[in-house]
Amino acid sequence: MEALFAAVTGFLAASGLYLALRGRTFPVVVGLTLLSYAVNLFLFSTGGLTTDGAAVIQQGVSHYADPLPQALVLTAIVIGFAMTAFSVILAMRVRGDLGSDQVNDQRAEESREDKS
Amino acid sequence: MQHLIVLPILLPLLSGLAMLAKRDASVLPRRAIGMISTGLLVVVGMLLVAQSAGGQITYYALGDWQPPFGIILVLDRLSALMVCLTSFLALGSLAYACAGDDMKGSNFHGLFQLQLMGVNGAFLTGDIFNLFVFFEILLIASYSLLMHGGGKERTQAGFHYVALNLAGSAMFLIALGVLYGTTGTLNMADMSLKVAELDPNRLGLLKAGAFMLLVVFGLKAAILPLYFWLPRAYSNAPAPVAALFAIMTKVGVYAILRVYTLIFGGKAGELADFVQPWLWWFALATLALGGVGVLSARDLRSQVTYLLLISVGTLLVGVSMNREAPIAALLYYMIHTTLVSGGLFLLADAIGEQRGKASARIVPGRGVTQPALLGLFYCVGAVTVVGLPPLSGAIGKALLLESALPDEQPWLWSILLLSSLAGLVAMSRSGSTVFWKAGRRDSEGPRLKAMMLTGLILLLGASPILSILAGPITEFTRASAVQLLNHGAYVEAILPHNVAGGGP
């Protein structure tokens, strides 16, 4: 299970990183989202991987999963979700304001050169 | 008095929420709420400084969950100082914003308060995951504040800023996951105990996590290879927001100072003080490049951002020396540089507004409407930011230079003094271009509004006051440095039962 989990996390992170380095805003947003999924999976595994473990202490149960990473992941998911929504809107606004979906738009660079 | 520690977080949260509730009401009540809330924060900040001045470290257990299990807020001299500094800076920039900048977009005041909440929380928290949460709060507020008012360049700079910081947050989480996985705790005091007695097989993992944290904090503080986002973001931000952002790089510096003296400090066994030698070279390089950048700037605003970079380099050099005297010096310098760079951002905006088409660019153009007043502010700002006596910049830099050991002196003295010289050359050039090479001035042009003047006086006027009160303030910063390096006292204050035996 560990090998599969690690491979999935690594693949997600690699894809996210690749997309985040692209030149257009949409792949960048998708890349950052994938990266945050990879991070969430990674955080989830930091307490050790257990199956069928109880998260809340009960009598007669000896097999537990660490509940803290689950709480951390929940926080990270909420923040990540809000940030995805925000960056999608922002990417659309970049498209509207600059007339281009390039992250480093040449036209904006030129107008700045003219001004200074 | 017991609940005083949580007020710097609750007060801006409540007033921020109150302002978000009625969004289309007139702007006056929101200005009033914002100013009152920030004014109260200054009072709370001063009370906290007074409470911490005695030297005891107090913590506030939220929901009465005791450490190391619950989330705690910790008040020591350093965090009290930072909260007080933040609220004072915020008061100055908010006053300036009330002159009209807050009307250029929606929700300025609400976001401003939420930003303050994030900054104050980051300074007060004693839990490293909570540090992440407060970083996110201050970042999310800053994303929107940065684009307040809109415009092409602001949008593009904003997208870069957001993308970079999202990547930074992902890295922060990975680092936290590694730290939690190896030490099994998130409380910073508890973690510092666990780090010291760690299984040697896991040291490599922990070290990787610690370095990743350094990258994240370095991104916020804008150390050399990670600073490229800063000049564009800050010089495109609206002036009061840029002034408030002067504290944001200091949040990064504070986090480095806190984490690498507490968790990976002198008592951390194998990993004791391992990060400081790295930091030393990066900080010096930042200083040198800041000096080059300040000479190359063609706009007053971007000139101030490079001066900010010089100050970040100076602060981190102090952090990397990791002794009482340099840390005491850097804390004094931190108060000075935060307020003065904030003031200079406001001043650059005020000058730009009065020069019409030439704006804040460093080219001969129309004269400013009020040359005597703005010239005086510029003179005070330039003298103190460059570090000429008698104002506070000189005191801070002299204290730092004096605290260097003989083998550190050649590097520190030459680079710090050269970058100050670069600052001096750049400031005199831009000052003479803007004020003396000015053409006919328009006596009917826009003048400083009362609130703008208040903001400028609060921030730039702080410099002479800082040099008059240099005695008591350096005493306080020295005591803070002693407290910061006294690892045992911090842990004992938070985990009185755990010092001897480790975890339960």
Side-chain angles (χ1 to χ4, degrees):
Chain A
M1 184 166 67
E2 274 89 356
L4 181 65
F5 195 91
V8 168
T9 314
F11 186 73
L12 266 179
S15 320
L17 195 62
Y18 174 76
L19 285 175
L21 295 173
R22 305 294 291 172
R24 288 170 179 269
T25 49
F26 182 68
V28 170
V29 171
V30 174
L32 288 171
T33 314
L34 286 185
L35 199 59
S36 78
Y37 291 164
V39 168
N40 290 343
L41 282 180
F42 176 77
L43 261 189
F44 194 70
S45 68
T46 52
L49 293 174
T50 40
T51 42
D52 281 347
V56 180
I57 293 181
Q58 286 167 334
Q59 273 196 334
V61 178
S62 60
H63 185 56
Y64 287 109
D66 190 347
L68 192 66
Q70 302 178 12
L72 301 187
V73 168
L74 199 60
T75 316
I77 289 175
V78 172
I79 294 177
F81 198 68
M83 289 327 297
T84 306
F86 183 77
S87 51
V88 167
I89 297 295
L90 184 59
M92 284 170 67
R93 184 153 166 199
V94 170
R95 174 74 181 80
D97 279 6
L98 302 174
S100 142
D101 63 351
Q102 296 288 331
V103 176
N104 276 314
D105 186 23
Q106 293 306 311
R107 276 172 291 178
E109 301 279 339
E110 277 159 22
S111 73
R112 185 175 305 113
E113 290 298 312
D114 291 344
K115 257 180 75 181
S116 15
Chain B
M1 286 305 275
Q2 184 205 348
H3 298 288
L4 199 63
I5 305 180
V6 78
L7 272 186
I9 298 170
L10 278 188
L11 200 62
L13 174 66
L14 294 179
S15 57
L17 287 181
M19 282 186 267
L20 290 181
K22 285 191 84 180
R23 288 172 47 179
D24 34 350
S26 89
V27 74
L28 277 177
R30 268 176 288 161
R31 279 183 186 165
I33 297 176
M35 288 302 283
I36 290 170
S37 158
T38 318
L40 280 177
L41 265 185
V42 174
V43 176
V44 170
M46 286 176 172
L47 286 177
L48 286 178
V49 167
Q51 189 182 333
S52 71
Q56 74 281 30
I57 296 170
T58 38
Y59 70 86
Y60 184 86
L62 294 158
D64 208 21
W65 289 90
Q66 292 302 313
F69 304 109
I71 290 171
I72 52 167
L73 302 175
V74 181
L75 180 79
D76 65 353
R77 288 195 182 104
L78 177 63
S79 50
L81 177 71
M82 297 307 292
V83 167
C84 189
L85 175 63
T86 309
S87 51
F88 196 78
L89 177 75
L91 190 66
S93 31
L94 191 62
Y96 190 91
C98 284
D101 275 345
D102 55 344
M103 308 269 281
K104 289 180 184 158
S106 52
N107 279 335
F108 177 86
H109 289 280
L111 290 166
F112 193 91
Q113 294 297 324
L114 293 178
Q115 166 102 52
L116 284 182
M117 171 196 167
V119 174
N120 284 339
F123 289 142
L124 284 172
T125 184
D127 179 283
I128 200 156
F129 192 80
N130 222 229
L131 184 67
F132 165 76
V133 174
F134 281 119
F135 262 69
E136 284 302 305
I137 294 175
L138 72 90
L139 282 174
I140 292 170
S142 78
Y143 298 151
S144 318
L145 279 178
L146 188 66
M147 277 169 278
H148 175 78
K152 279 185 186 178
E153 289 180 10
R154 234 169 244 176
T155 313
Q156 199 179 26
F159 188 77
H160 291 177
Y161 179 74
V162 171
L164 208 61
N165 276 304
L166 285 182
S169 303
M171 198 139 173
F172 201 162
L173 278 176
I174 297 175
L176 287 183
V178 171
L179 291 189
Y180 177 74
T182 46
T183 61
T185 179
L186 287 167
N187 182 296
M188 294 208 268
D190 194 31
M191 195 180 272
S192 74
L193 292 176
K194 297 276 163 40
V195 164
E197 50 200 43
L198 197 73
D199 175 11
N201 292 328
R202 314 198 86 177
L203 268 183
L205 200 56
L206 185 66
K207 200 167 179 180
F211 269 123
M212 273 200 277
L213 266 190
L214 183 67
V215 173
V216 175
F217 296 150
L219 181 69
K220 303 282 182 295
I223 317 183
L224 172 66
L226 303 167
Y227 83 86
F228 297 101
W229 57 274
L230 184 134
R232 189 187 279 180
Y234 279 32
S235 53
N236 284 319
V241 175
L244 181 68
F245 279 14
I247 197 77
M248 296 266 280
T249 49
K250 276 66 181 183
V251 177
V253 174
Y254 166 85
I256 291 177
L257 193 57
R258 177 67 81 196
V259 167
Y260 296 101
T261 55
L262 178 62
I263 303 179
F264 303 104
K267 296 279 169 55
E270 291 272 322
L271 292 181
D273 296 334
F274 76 100
V275 98
Q276 276 82 358
W278 292 79
L279 203 56
W280 166 255
W281 295 111
F282 283 120
L284 284 179
T286 312
L287 252 180
L289 234 88
V292 176
V294 82
L295 285 174
S296 73
R298 287 182 290 178
D299 186 292
L300 280 179
R301 267 178 280 232
S302 65
Q303 197 167 48
V304 181
T305 59
Y306 281 105
L307 288 169
L308 195 66
L309 270 183
I310 293 185
S311 78
V312 166
T314 315
L315 291 172
L316 287 170
V317 162
V319 173
S320 70
M321 294 202 283
N322 201 26
R323 292 186 307 274
E324 272 168 40
I327 292 179
L330 90 88
L331 291 179
Y332 179 84
Y333 186 76
M334 175 125 73
I335 307 174
H336 144 82
T337 186
T338 308
L339 296 177
V340 168
S341 349
L344 282 174
F345 275 119
L346 299 183
L347 182 64
D349 181 71
I351 291 176
E353 194 165 289
Q354 296 199 356
R355 290 178 79 212
K357 237 180 88 186
S359 183
R361 279 175 293 143
I362 308 172
V363 289
R366 202 172 85 186
V368 293
T369 321
Q370 294 163 293
L373 185 64
L374 288 185
L376 178 71
F377 277 128
Y378 187 86
C379 180
V380 171
V383 163
T384 182
V385 80
V386 167
L388 294 179
L391 294 180
S392 53
I395 302 175
K397 281 188 180 166
L399 285 172
L400 193 66
L401 291 175
E402 194 194 359
S403 67
L405 292 179
D407 58 332
E408 292 165 344
Q409 280 170 4
W411 292 103
L412 178 65
W413 288 20
S414 57
I415 296 180
L416 183 58
L417 291 175
L418 274 177
S419 72
S420 305
L421 179 68
L424 178 67
V425 171
M427 289 303 271
S428 3
R429 188 195 52 156
S430 56
S432 51
T433 311
V434 168
F435 289 102
W436 290 342
K437 276 195 205 157
R440 195 178 50 80
R441 65 168 189 273
D442 182 5
S443 50
E444 301 292 301
R447 307 179 77 82
L448 274 188
K449 301 190 180 96
M451 289 308 275
M452 288 175 151
L453 192 63
T454 317
L456 281 171
I457 290 176
L458 272 174
L459 295 187
L460 287 176
S463 176
I465 294 173
L466 275 176
S467 40
I468 293 168
L469 295 179
I473 293 175
T474 46
E475 247 167 58
F476 185 83
T477 59
R478 180 165 287 275
S480 316
V482 172
Q483 193 178 43
L484 193 65
L485 293 175
N486 187 351
H487 174 260
Y490 187 94
V491 174
E492 195 160 347
I494 293 180
L495 304 164
H497 311 296
N498 276 23
V499 177

